[in-house]
Amino acid sequence: MAYAEKRGNRWRARWRSPDGTLHSKPGFTSRRAAEKYGRDQEAAVRANTYRDPRAGRITLSEWVNIWYPALDLEPTTLANHRYYIEVHILPTFGDRTLASLSAQEISTWERQIITSGYAASTARDARSKLATVLGDAIPQHLQVNPALHRKGRGRAGRRRIELHEKAEKAWPSPLQALLVAERCAALSGCDTDFVMILTIAYTGMRWSEALGLRPKFVRGDQVSIEWKLYELAGRFYGGRPKDGSIRLADLPPFLAQLLAAHLKTAGSRTCTCNAAESPWCRGERYVFLGPEGGHFRRSSYGGRFFRPAADGRYPARAKKPAARVLADAAAPF
């Protein structure tokens, strides 16, 4: 229970923090004021809003070493957090105390990430991760989160453009979906790509959900989306769809027929994974597998097949000029 101690001509408030440590605050002119302050701190402890008087003295590195091991997230999400923390956040702020961080220098740091050659989205994501890290330090170590964008600040025009871009989604027409699927299959030389791209287009599956689709979940004119395959450091493991969004997706008749025909020829194949430890894929039957029985990889598939199929050209790369896709190379570009 909070109490007051006489210290010369002043009074000192005494109370216990959530971990049982006895804390104090001197300088009160009356016993009643000191006791009231101590009772207020105990009320904050009970309401889980208590802020340690020593709060903010911990460095960001020390806090991350407490915060990160306590996370209960998918390995891919943990790897994403770790990248931003180790590459962008700790090199700049790791030795700083939480209380010393300011919104102004965090905004400057965000801009510096862009000027150093990273995409604007990388800078935004880095700041978002920092805001998450610092947000979980409230109220134990911080009262406010300096990484959060203040409302009403920034360039109003830029915010309107960002909101417009988020609201305006690009949806392919049936013909566009058909052409992209056809091009992917022509570029890869495999019919699986044609069926896979059309399935994604007509069901709204995420890429990882398409990779994780198993034959038993293709049920006539419906597919049951219950699993996905996460890719991490070149390996795959199964998990539930994002946000627990297990669902049924209806198939148009032509696509149901395509999937049924595909399963007759390729549905009995097992992936080449042979991991012995959990949670990695140990080898299962999947609807969509590459020519050699491996899983499609997002980055390589996008660069080799999907983007060229959608854009109609291969982008220029080192020592290689831009080139048309499935067109006369001698024609004007």
Side-chain angles (χ1 to χ4, degrees):
M1 182 175 178
Y3 61 94
E5 287 182 342
K6 189 71 177 291
R7 306 289 291 179
N9 295 327
R10 300 276 179 169
W11 291 85
R12 178 172 69 173
R14 301 281 277 175
W15 71 94
R16 292 194 179 275
S17 64
D19 62 2
T21 303
L22 190 62
H23 291 281
S24 63
K25 180 177 176 61
F28 294 94
T29 57
S30 68
R31 178 173 184 168
R32 178 177 295 180
E35 289 178 342
K36 181 181 183 304
Y37 184 87
R39 288 195 296 269
D40 289 344
Q41 302 313 301
E42 290 185 335
V45 171
R46 292 191 294 271
N48 199 30
T49 58
Y50 177 76
R51 182 172 182 265
D52 194 312
R54 300 165 298 180
R57 299 179 189 175
I58 187 173
T59 67
L60 184 59
S61 291
E62 291 170 337
W63 171 241
V64 166
N65 286 330
I66 296 171
W67 174 82
Y68 187 83
L71 296 177
D72 184 18
L73 301 169
E74 292 288 348
T76 48
T77 305
L78 291 174
N80 181 266
H81 281 325
R82 186 165 186 167
Y83 164 76
Y84 284 101
I85 288 170
E86 293 182 350
V87 175
H88 296 290
I89 296 174
L90 291 187
T92 302
F93 300 119
D95 295 332
R96 297 279 300 279
T97 62
L98 301 189
S100 70
L101 299 177
S102 69
Q104 291 76 17
E105 65 178 328
I106 290 174
S107 295
T108 300
W109 163 73
E110 182 182 5
R111 291 192 297 272
Q112 288 173 343
I113 293 176
I114 300 174
T115 58
S116 64
Y118 290 95
S121 59
T122 300
R124 289 195 300 269
D125 288 345
R127 180 167 185 156
S128 176
K129 294 295 185 294
L130 178 58
T132 299
V133 172
L134 296 180
D136 287 345
I138 298 173
Q140 184 179 5
H141 296 290
L142 286 173
Q143 287 183 316
V144 295
N145 189 338
L148 289 178
H149 284 286
R150 293 177 61 186
K151 293 182 179 179
R153 298 286 181 178
R155 298 179 182 177
R158 183 178 64 187
R159 292 201 305 274
R160 285 194 295 269
I161 292 172
E162 290 176 351
L163 289 174
H164 174 75
E165 290 176 344
K166 289 180 180 179
E168 184 177 333
K169 303 293 185 181
W171 297 99
S173 68
L175 178 59
Q176 289 172 329
L178 178 66
L179 292 177
V180 170
E182 189 177 47
R183 283 182 172 184
C184 285
L187 291 171
S188 69
C190 184
D191 290 340
T192 296
D193 299 65
F194 180 73
V195 182
M196 180 177 67
I197 298 300
L198 282 180
T199 300
I200 292 174
Y202 276 86
T203 63
M205 279 185 177
R206 300 178 179 93
W207 170 261
S208 54
E209 292 170 343
L211 296 192
L213 182 63
R214 298 183 184 180
K216 65 181 180 181
F217 295 121
V218 179
R219 301 164 183 167
D221 61 353
Q222 288 185 323
V223 292
S224 182
I225 305 171
E226 300 187 20
W227 293 92
K228 64 187 292 187
L229 272 184
Y230 295 89
E231 181 183 353
L232 178 61
R235 305 171 74 186
F236 292 86
Y237 68 96
R240 293 298 189 176
K242 186 176 181 180
D243 300 325
S245 55
I246 296 173
R247 61 203 186 276
L248 286 173
D250 294 326
L251 300 173
F254 85 93
L255 184 53
Q257 294 174 12
L258 274 177
L259 275 171
H262 173 73
L263 289 176
K264 287 181 180 180
T265 59
S268 61
R269 292 196 303 161
T270 300
C271 70
T272 55
C273 299
N274 58 358
E277 71 278 9
S278 181
W280 306 107
C281 180
R282 302 181 183 185
E284 301 283 349
R285 291 176 60 200
Y286 291 95
V287 175
F288 303 121
L289 292 171
E292 304 300 324
H295 298 293
F296 294 104
R297 300 184 183 278
R298 181 193 296 269
S299 58
S300 61
Y301 194 89
R304 293 176 61 195
F305 305 123
F306 191 83
R307 288 309 319 178
D311 296 339
R313 65 186 179 91
Y314 288 102
R317 301 195 179 194
K319 299 182 179 180
K320 289 186 178 182
R324 283 182 176 274
V325 172
L326 306 176
D328 183 4
F333 187 71

